[in-house]
Amino acid sequence: MIILPAIDLHQGQCVRLFQGDYATAHVVAESALETARSFQEQGAHWMHMVDLDGAKAGKPQNTQLILDTAQKVDMHIEVGGGIRDMGAVEMYLEKGVSRVILGSAALRDPAFVKEAVKKYGRQIAVGIDALGGKAAAQGWTEKSATDYLELARRMEDIGVEFIICTDIQQDGMMSGPNLEMLDKLNRAVSCNIIASGGVSSLLDIVNLYDLGLYGAIAGKSIYTGALDLRRAITACQRVSGKAPKTRRAVEDELERYFRKSDLIPAVIQEEGTGQVLMLAYMNRESLLKTLETGSTWFYSRSRRALWNKGETSGHTQKVCAIYSDCDDDTLLIKVVQTGPACHTGSHSCFFKTLWPKKGETP
């Protein structure tokens, strides 16, 4: 599951609201850029930004601040607030934003949402903000008669892949997310669900992870220190558990491992003995196939092709667990090895002693 720390902008400042009430806005950080950089330093690879003034006005208001931030950090950024036409969508996506969020437009102009999804696909998310189970619009200032599940199904029908769901009553209250509401939504549609509102602790993150959601947005809990962002991100980097619903969602989760290179080294370790068996390289496709099949797939740099361990020899590797190192640039894969791992017939590829030589004292 992806953790998206949040920055909400009001009159150029980083603020938090209680239950969407603009009158409760209070400043939580001096600089959007420095806040974003601190999120990145703690391991975040995605960030959620909302133009609160834009949401209320119906058109972007804090555009330059958002774009400056997006262009100066090494993170994916999704942006919402006042995006009501294709011009605003194109402006953000062409200037460094990874995904835009359409909110009120989902209720008032589904044809526009459909057009945006047709052109930009997975770069479009829909925000469904619910109050008492009914979708709200116009920066949460207007409540509709449309049930949030009904709206979600409409969005699914027009091809929306990502839905950000907020229970307005929970937002900023530090009382925990509405797990029942999120679970119903996750079961009702095939879209990838991002939870928003009420996250107050690591336990909330674990509960959301256990629902099998794609992502979770955290705001006030990070600013107050109630949630340690680094610990939350680490907790969600497990490969086990309920997987996201689509291959594209998995790709988003794995993207952080390929930010430095298109290939990542994978150390293969025997589960039962702890012995290191081999070292190979993975690209995005081979890592995905490893996750999907439960057996190891690698990328051959000489042949420039994928290969499956044991496909011809029968000396297969069943994956037990996958770990990343602290810098997310090396993988450790624990396996159950059938037969020798090395093409020479040796159980491990590491059988040549360089030092100490026989008779030498280490």
Side-chain angles (χ1 to χ4, degrees), residues 23-339:
T24 66
H26 64 286
V27 177
V28 293
E30 293 298 322
S31 164
L33 177 57
E34 291 308 311
T35 301
R37 284 174 172 163
S38 74
F39 291 158
Q40 180 180 321
E41 289 171 1
Q42 293 174 75
H45 295 273
W46 276 87
M47 187 173 70
H48 176 83
M49 297 189 78
V50 177
D51 181 350
L52 294 173
D53 303 309
K56 198 170 185 178
K59 59 182 180 180
Q61 300 292 305
N62 291 280
T63 306
Q64 196 56 53
L65 179 56
I66 291 171
L67 293 178
D68 286 345
T69 302
Q71 291 164 5
K72 293 177 181 178
V73 295
D74 188 21
M75 286 189 292
H76 295 292
I77 295 180
E78 63 176 26
V79 174
I83 304 173
R84 311 282 171 83
D85 56 54
M86 287 298 292
V89 171
E90 291 166 357
M91 179 271 296
Y92 276 126
L93 294 180
E94 290 175 3
K95 294 186 177 181
V97 169
S98 298
R99 186 160 61 213
V100 298
I101 307 161
L102 308 182
S104 298
L107 275 170
R108 297 178 172 177
D109 194 357
F112 158 52
V113 178
K114 186 174 183 179
E115 179 187 2
V117 170
K118 183 177 180 180
K119 184 171 182 179
Y120 292 105
R122 63 187 303 195
Q123 291 183 283
I124 304 297
V126 163
I128 296 181
D129 306 319
L131 185 62
K134 302 299 181 182
Q138 203 68 19
W140 298 358
T141 60
E142 298 178 10
K143 181 180 176 181
S144 75
T146 304
D147 181 82
Y148 79 104
L149 292 178
E150 178 186 345
L151 181 58
R153 291 187 181 105
R154 292 178 190 170
M155 295 301 100
E156 179 185 31
D157 288 343
I158 64 177
V160 172
E161 290 191 34
F162 298 92
I163 291 178
I164 298 167
C165 182
T166 305
D167 182 348
I168 296 173
Q169 291 178 311
Q170 304 296 107
D171 187 72
M173 300 306 291
M174 299 281 287
S175 56
N178 189 330
L179 298 176
E180 181 181 359
M181 174 182 174
L182 291 164
D183 191 37
K184 286 182 178 178
L185 177 59
N186 198 38
R187 294 174 184 274
V189 295
S190 62
C191 309
N192 298 291
I193 306 302
I194 300 174
S196 175
V199 172
S200 62
S201 66
L202 187 59
L203 178 60
D204 290 334
I205 295 296
V206 172
N207 288 336
L208 292 171
Y209 180 98
D210 287 342
L211 292 182
L213 303 187
Y214 166 83
I217 293 168
K220 184 178 179 181
S221 58
I222 295 174
Y223 293 108
T224 62
L227 178 68
D228 184 310
L229 177 58
R230 190 183 300 277
R231 287 185 65 195
I233 291 170
T234 300
C236 291
Q237 288 182 355
R238 295 176 294 171
V239 177
S240 58
K242 295 182 180 178
K245 291 184 176 182
T246 70
R247 201 170 199 263
R248 284 180 173 176
V250 178
E251 290 172 356
D252 282 349
E253 289 203 32
L254 299 182
E255 184 59 34
R256 62 175 168 271
Y257 304 117
F258 299 96
R259 297 185 74 81
K260 297 178 183 178
S261 171
D262 287 334
L263 294 178
I264 185 170
V267 178
I268 310 303
Q269 182 183 39
E270 191 166 38
E271 171 72 7
T273 66
Q275 183 179 17
V276 175
L277 300 176
M278 57 182 285
L279 171 71
Y281 287 85
M282 290 181 162
N283 62 3
R284 292 169 178 80
E285 187 67 17
S286 62
L287 180 52
L288 280 167
K289 288 181 75 67
T290 297
L291 292 172
E292 290 170 346
T293 64
S295 63
T296 52
W297 284 80
F298 304 108
Y299 180 80
S300 170
R301 293 173 294 171
S302 58
R303 299 194 305 270
R304 297 184 180 181
L306 300 186
W307 62 281
N308 177 212
K309 180 63 177 175
E311 186 174 18
T312 57
S313 67
H315 301 155
T316 59
Q317 293 173 344
K318 179 182 177 182
V319 177
C320 300
I322 303 178
Y323 304 88
S324 67
D325 72 339
C326 56
D327 295 320
D328 287 337
D329 58 11
T330 304
L331 298 178
L332 174 66
I333 303 179
K334 293 190 176 184
V335 303
V336 173
Q337 175 71 43
T338 299

